[in-house]
Amino acid sequence: MKGKLLTIATKLGIDKSIAYSSGARVVQALVSVGSIFIFSAFLTGVEQGFYFTFGSIVAIQIFFELGLTNIITQYVAHEDSFLYITCGQISGNEGHKSRLAYLLHFCVKWYSMIAILFFISLLVVGFVFFTKYSKGHSEVSWRIPWLLICAGSAIKLFQAPFNSFIEGLGYVAEMSRISFWQQIIIPASTWLGLFLSFRLYVVGISTLLSVLIWFVYVKRSFLWTLLVNLWKTKITERISYMKEIFPYQWKIAISWISGYFIFQLFNPVLFATDGPVVAGQMGMTLNALNSITSFSLSWITTKIPSMSKLIAQKDYVSLDSMFNRTVKQMLLVCFALLGAFFVFLLFLNLTSLAFRGNIIAHRFLSFLPTILLSVTIILGVFVSAWATYLRCHKKEPWLLNSICNGVLTTLSTFGLGKLYGLYGIVGGYFAVQCLMFPWGIWIFKTKKKEWHGE
């Protein structure tokens, strides 16, 4: 039996790195399945709409973060390569140590300011939006939960660069351990809170609990001493933000912002046009589909170091062999999971399975919009694989594509959403992704040929 499982794993390309990377996503998937029943039991359809729309509005964090968190790890790792860490003390080249200390000071000052601005902006945007579009649902208590969410999200934003900083110093396992405990404790506390009738309060409580877990773990570990000692380091050399960081950051920032308009507008627009119930159905459906995407992409993301090495060696034959094999395995996993998801939806609809008197199938979108969204998931898996392949060359050829995708998706979401509601939004998004897909093929083939001298 063990031999058969190993054979299947080998054919699917499941190595230790994929198993480790996907392990957390398996936990998240199990939590998502459990949450379907918990939400159906302890939240009304309207409250479910608030729940998922909360997350979409909090995602405006992208406009404040501007991709900086994503690149801090790389800059820290570069400076750290000239240093040594023993017992919480950093030693080695004084110039690089000074630059690293300056980067830490820069992060604290920068993220202190943007965390405050983020809190104020998020609070105002949320209160204006929900006050305007929830007038017919005065029975929902959302104001204090929203205040808690804003506070927790702002603190979490302030903590974000420290995660990247610590990972850049080489302590990825420690950050993974924090994430592991958060993935266990937070869903458990959320479910317990719903069971105790805390309703939407659980969102804010879980966000605050997340930052508390992070702080307690770091404070009680050597990581706190490491950061404090680095903070006290005398600064003699500095990193120039405008010359060294900004030229790279702005490209990442634009891609991230485009991603917000592509993926996060659906729930707020539906909340305003079709009401919180439909927004909740969209949120639940997207949550399942995004989990499938995330799990499937584990196959390609774990190959980034190997592909980068082959590119550096200019071994393009081995590179393409690895990439083509990985894409086939990734698509097989994606199709299998999508098939299982539709079987699950069919079962829910045929049986009208209910939990505590609530029919679970009613918490998802109907089959037609779900099928259209699933097709975009498959197209997105292809595009993500191609983009990963090209970005391993340390270049960003997808910038213009991301901008156009974001602009067209925004226009279709607002325009068609206002006119036709759910089907306008989904149909418009489907059309945009089908339109952008040939461009993606062209970028991949053209850049591959150009960079490999084919």
Side-chain angles (χ1 to χ4, degrees):
M1 183 64 179
K2 183 178 179 180
K4 291 182 179 179
L5 291 176
L6 289 174
T7 301
I8 294 174
T10 301
K11 290 182 178 179
L12 290 175
I14 301 176
D15 53 23
K16 290 183 179 179
S17 59
I18 291 177
Y20 181 79
S21 175
S22 300
R25 293 180 173 90
V26 170
V27 173
Q28 292 175 347
L30 294 175
V31 168
S32 297
V33 173
S35 296
I36 292 172
F37 296 93
I38 298 296
F39 289 165
S40 299
F42 299 103
L43 289 179
T44 66
V46 171
E47 289 172 331
Q48 180 177 303
F50 275 85
Y51 180 93
F52 285 108
T53 306
F54 282 163
S56 294
I57 295 180
V58 168
I60 65 171
Q61 171 181 328
I62 291 174
F63 294 92
F64 294 84
E65 195 173 354
L66 295 176
L68 182 58
T69 305
N70 194 47
I71 64 176
I72 287 174
T73 300
Q74 300 173 38
Y75 283 86
V76 171
H78 177 80
E79 303 301 330
D80 182 60
S81 64
F82 298 92
L83 303 170
Y84 306 94
I85 301 176
T86 53
C87 301
Q89 296 287 343
I90 299 179
S91 57
N93 185 286
E94 291 299 323
H96 290 286
K97 184 178 179 181
S98 173
R99 284 166 59 85
L100 194 60
Y102 177 79
L103 185 58
L104 179 61
H105 280 256
F106 172 80
C107 287
V108 171
K109 294 176 182 178
W110 178 256
Y111 277 85
S112 294
M113 292 187 295
I114 66 172
I116 294 172
L117 291 174
F118 176 59
F119 172 77
I120 296 172
S121 302
L122 191 62
L123 192 67
V124 172
V125 169
F127 267 90
V128 170
F129 179 85
F130 289 113
T131 299
K132 181 176 181 180
Y133 294 111
S134 66
K135 293 179 180 179
H137 305 283
S138 57
E139 77 283 0
V140 177
S141 178
W142 60 266
R143 290 173 177 81
I144 295 179
W146 181 246
L147 177 61
L148 295 176
I149 293 170
C150 293
S153 299
I155 298 172
K156 199 168 185 177
L157 175 60
F158 177 73
Q159 287 180 346
F162 298 104
N163 285 337
S164 300
F165 212 94
I166 293 171
E167 288 183 356
L169 292 174
Y171 298 106
V172 178
E174 281 70 18
M175 291 296 96
S176 298
R177 193 172 292 117
I178 295 175
S179 178
F180 173 78
W181 285 110
Q182 287 174 330
Q183 290 174 11
I184 292 177
I185 295 175
I186 293 173
S189 64
T190 299
W191 293 356
L192 178 61
L194 290 173
F195 180 78
L196 296 175
S197 299
F198 286 176
R199 321 297 293 185
L200 292 177
Y201 284 85
V202 298
V203 189
I205 293 173
S206 64
T207 306
L208 290 170
L209 184 59
S210 174
V211 300
L212 179 61
I213 293 171
W214 184 95
F215 179 78
V216 170
Y217 183 93
V218 173
K219 186 68 170 64
R220 296 182 63 180
S221 71
F222 70 94
L223 297 172
W224 183 262
T225 303
L226 180 62
L227 292 173
V228 170
N229 289 336
L230 185 59
W231 178 266
K232 294 178 180 178
T233 298
K234 184 178 180 180
I235 298 176
T236 56
E237 295 188 27
R238 292 171 168 79
I239 292 177
S240 172
Y241 172 77
M242 292 305 299
K243 292 181 180 180
E244 298 183 56
I245 297 178
F246 182 74
Y248 180 45
Q249 181 192 356
W250 74 267
K251 295 180 181 179
I252 301 296
I254 292 177
S255 294
W256 278 33
I257 291 172
S258 300
Y260 178 87
F261 291 107
I262 295 171
F263 301 111
Q264 298 294 341
L265 281 181
F266 296 159
N267 285 337
V269 172
L270 280 175
F271 193 101
T273 57
D274 287 18
V277 173
V278 178
Q281 292 171 337
M282 173 64 84
M284 186 74 86
T285 304
L286 283 179
N287 185 52
L289 293 176
N290 289 336
S291 295
I292 292 173
T293 301
S294 179
F295 187 85
S296 302
L297 290 178
S298 298
W299 267 252
I300 194 69
T301 55
T302 55
K303 296 296 188 298
I304 290 176
S306 299
M307 290 195 299
S308 299
K309 183 178 180 179
L310 291 172
I311 290 170
Q313 297 171 345
K314 296 185 178 181
D315 187 357
Y316 301 132
V317 174
S318 299
L319 170 68
D320 290 342
S321 176
M322 174 188 291
F323 177 73
N324 293 333
R325 182 175 63 254
T326 301
V327 170
K328 290 177 182 178
Q329 293 163 347
M330 183 174 60
L331 288 172
L332 178 62
V333 171
C334 182
F335 278 111
L337 292 175
L338 284 173
F341 177 57
F342 275 97
V343 169
F344 177 65
L345 288 182
L346 183 62
F347 170 77
L348 291 179
N349 280 275
L350 291 177
T351 61
S352 296
L353 181 65
F355 197 52
R356 288 174 61 92
N358 297 308
I359 299 177
I360 299 175
H362 292 172
R363 297 303 177 91
F364 290 91
L365 295 176
S366 59
F367 276 103
L368 179 56
T370 303
I371 290 172
L372 294 179
L373 288 173
S374 297
V375 173
T376 66
I377 290 296
I378 296 170
L379 298 181
V381 166
F382 273 108
V383 172
S384 295
W386 296 334
T388 300
Y389 179 98
L390 295 180
R391 285 166 181 162
C392 284
H393 293 74
K394 295 183 179 180
K395 298 179 181 180
E396 174 52 279
W398 237 267
L399 181 61
L400 183 58
N401 182 279
S402 296
I403 295 173
C404 292
N405 200 340
V407 171
L408 290 175
T409 300
T410 301
L411 293 175
S412 70
T413 299
F414 279 110
L416 298 178
K418 184 177 181 180
L419 293 173
Y420 305 107
L422 169 65
Y423 287 92
I425 289 175
V426 175
Y429 177 65
F430 174 80
V432 169
Q433 299 314 304
C434 289
L435 179 66
M436 300 298 292
F437 189 70
W439 187 4
I441 298 175
W442 180 83
I443 292 175
F444 176 68
K445 290 187 174 181
T446 302
K447 295 302 179 182
K448 181 175 177 290
K449 183 177 181 180
E450 176 185 342
W451 297 346
H452 293 181
E454 296 176 355

